[in-house]
Amino acid sequence: MLDANIPWQRNYKYLGVTLDKNLHFRDHIERVRNTALFYKARLGRKSKLSRRNKRTIYKMCIRTVMTYASPVFAHAAPKALHRLQVIQNQFCRAATDAHWCVRNSILHRDLELPTISKYMKDASKRFFDIAGSHPNALLRAAVDYQPPHPTHLIRRPRNVLTDPPDALTAAV
């Protein structure tokens, strides 16, 4: 561009989302995971806050960091999204000061928190409903497509709406 070489980038951060060449979002999820762990560490297991306040801090700070732009990357590999679910499980265990033998589904139910996959699925549904009825024709056209068959190798953002729930979501 203008007789200058543009260096090749493997990743690019745009509007807070780290995009990679194949849109696998591994680097984005890793960055978000590290940020959420940073905030979670500030909360501490032996914090004097009430369970209600810990839950509010999680919902306002940690979950918003983990699920920012989730309709874009909710169709990422389940293994990558599981790494975010692990952080939520760790928070639930620390907030309730639960013993290791208590199931994660019970902790989620007690704290009244949906799993990350359920939350992302609901956020994606809200996004596609709002975008589908938007007055801008270009935006309506962008979300008005039929997702490929669930067993198809190419995953699109709308696939997350038809995915079956994972084991933890089904238990909660």
Side-chain angles (χ1 to χ4, degrees):
M1 181 176 228
L2 300 175
D3 293 326
N5 290 334
I6 300 174
W8 180 258
Q9 296 286 324
R10 295 211 179 271
N11 303 332
Y12 188 75
K13 187 174 173 183
Y14 181 69
L15 295 177
V17 179
T18 307
L19 303 169
D20 61 354
K21 161 174 107 163
N22 294 323
L23 295 179
H24 289 173
F25 297 101
R26 287 185 196 110
D27 295 326
H28 174 71
I29 291 173
E30 186 62 30
R31 186 180 57 78
V32 163
R33 183 178 174 277
N34 290 336
T35 306
L37 284 173
F38 174 78
Y39 288 129
K40 188 179 82 65
R42 299 300 174 263
L43 209 57
R45 188 173 182 102
K46 299 294 181 185
S47 175
K48 302 281 191 241
L49 293 172
S50 69
R51 187 178 297 167
R52 180 173 177 254
N53 289 343
K54 288 179 185 178
R55 180 178 174 265
T56 302
I57 289 173
Y58 171 78
K59 287 173 70 175
M60 298 299 291
C61 299
I62 301 171
R63 185 170 68 184
T64 54
V65 166
M66 289 195 306
T67 59
Y68 172 72
S70 63
V72 175
F73 70 91
H75 67 284
K79 183 179 179 182
L81 294 176
H82 178 73
R83 294 173 62 89
L84 295 178
Q85 183 60 51
V86 166
I87 293 173
Q88 186 180 29
N89 294 345
Q90 290 172 350
F91 167 78
C92 290
R93 195 160 299 282
T96 57
D97 201 22
H99 201 259
W100 62 269
C101 61
V102 179
R103 290 182 177 267
N104 289 326
S105 58
I106 293 171
L107 297 176
H108 281 80
R109 189 182 64 219
D110 289 348
L111 289 173
E112 299 174 357
L113 291 174
T115 60
I116 289 292
S117 60
K118 171 87 170 106
Y119 184 81
M120 286 183 173
K121 191 176 206 175
D122 293 344
S124 295
K125 182 167 177 28
R126 283 191 309 270
F127 170 76
F128 284 116
D129 289 345
I130 291 170
S133 62
H134 197 273
N136 187 338
L138 293 174
L139 185 58
R140 277 195 318 268
V143 298
D144 189 29
Y145 67 89
Q146 292 300 319
H149 194 268
T151 58
H152 196 266
L153 295 177
I154 297 174
R155 307 244 325 136
R156 304 261 323 256
R158 202 166 256 230
N159 277 96
V160 76
L161 299 179
T162 59
D163 287 345
D166 60 348
L168 180 61
T169 304
V172 173

